[in-house]
Amino acid sequence: MILDYGSGNLRSAERAVQRAGAEVEVTADPQAALAADGLVVPGVGAFAACAEGVRRVGGDKLVGKRLAGARPVLGICVGMQILFERGIEHGIEAEGLAEWPGTVDRLRADVLPHMGWNTVRAPEDSVLFAGLDADTRFYFVHSYAARSWQLDSGLPSAGAKVTWAHHGEDFVAAVENGPLCATQFHPEKSGDAGAHVLRNWLSTL
């Protein structure tokens, strides 16, 4: 199920998940999204606009309910970023869904946006990247990212598997945290590698 909250890349995400082997619907219906085997939260554009759009359709409560019931959620690009506590873009701070601690802000890099293909450093026990070589490349388009991972032994996020990439500095490229997974790159634009990641996620449903 793809959560429809007005994000611009809904159809490309839908097609990619279909190609990976799943039956897919795009919906803004909270009950349908809650009942789905898996929920994808895509996102492009500004952090604040995406967070507001998700809240407008009740997506923040929906994600929380799904995670409380251990029902899988996958965030993509800005759909990943809004899972953090806050985002800062152009000096404007916006609240995220706060499923993970930390702030999304501007990458410290000579060239922005970070646009194109890049490798990632995944944990050895990663499920999302299982079966992929270390030199596999994924497609990124962003200027902002989670530039650190804030561990707290008292939080469920402490046991997360964090994948990193580098553009000017290290940033979080993906997270696997129980039923909550997310990628900063676009699997739907990453060809065979992206399809492999989506199939690996679908295998967890």
Side-chain angles (χ1 to χ4, degrees):
M1 192 74 71
I2 311 289
L3 181 64
D4 182 0
Y5 63 95
S7 173
N9 64 333
L10 291 174
R11 296 305 169 184
S12 59
E14 178 187 18
R15 289 191 296 270
V17 177
Q18 284 176 334
R19 285 195 300 270
E23 294 182 8
V24 186
E25 293 181 34
V26 175
T27 186
D29 177 4
Q31 292 306 314
L34 184 62
D37 291 336
L39 181 68
V40 177
V41 182
V44 293
F47 182 106
C50 283
E52 179 183 354
V54 166
R55 287 194 175 92
R56 190 167 54 245
V57 299
D60 52 341
K61 296 180 179 65
L62 171 64
V63 169
K65 287 180 180 178
R66 285 190 61 89
L67 297 179
R71 301 184 69 81
V73 175
L74 175 67
I76 295 175
C77 196
V78 184
M80 166 177 162
Q81 294 179 2
I82 62 173
L83 296 170
F84 288 88
E85 285 179 311
R86 66 186 64 84
I88 302 174
E89 294 186 5
H90 308 295
I92 299 172
E93 183 171 327
E95 291 186 3
L97 275 58
E99 295 295 343
W100 295 320
T103 299
V104 170
D105 57 6
R106 189 177 176 88
L107 283 170
R108 297 172 183 170
D110 292 336
V111 176
L112 289 174
H114 172 216
M115 184 166 60
W117 299 85
N118 203 349
T119 56
V120 302
R121 305 190 309 276
E124 289 186 3
D125 59 348
S126 167
V127 173
L128 287 183
F129 298 94
L132 291 168
D133 295 332
D135 59 356
T136 301
R137 293 179 177 270
F138 301 91
Y139 192 79
F140 292 84
V141 184
H142 64 116
S143 297
Y144 298 83
R147 297 165 43 237
S148 64
W149 180 257
Q150 299 180 12
L151 292 177
D152 184 320
S153 59
L155 292 174
S157 56
K161 302 169 187 175
V162 181
T163 293
W164 297 88
H166 188 89
H167 181 74
E169 62 178 332
D170 284 350
F171 64 89
V172 177
V175 181
E176 301 164 66
N177 185 199
L180 183 58
C181 294
T183 66
Q184 177 62 64
F185 60 85
H186 287 273
E188 77 279 11
K189 297 180 180 180
S190 295
D192 291 344
H196 190 108
V197 168
L198 289 175
R199 284 194 298 271
N200 282 347
W201 178 69
L202 289 170
S203 74
T204 69
L205 305 186

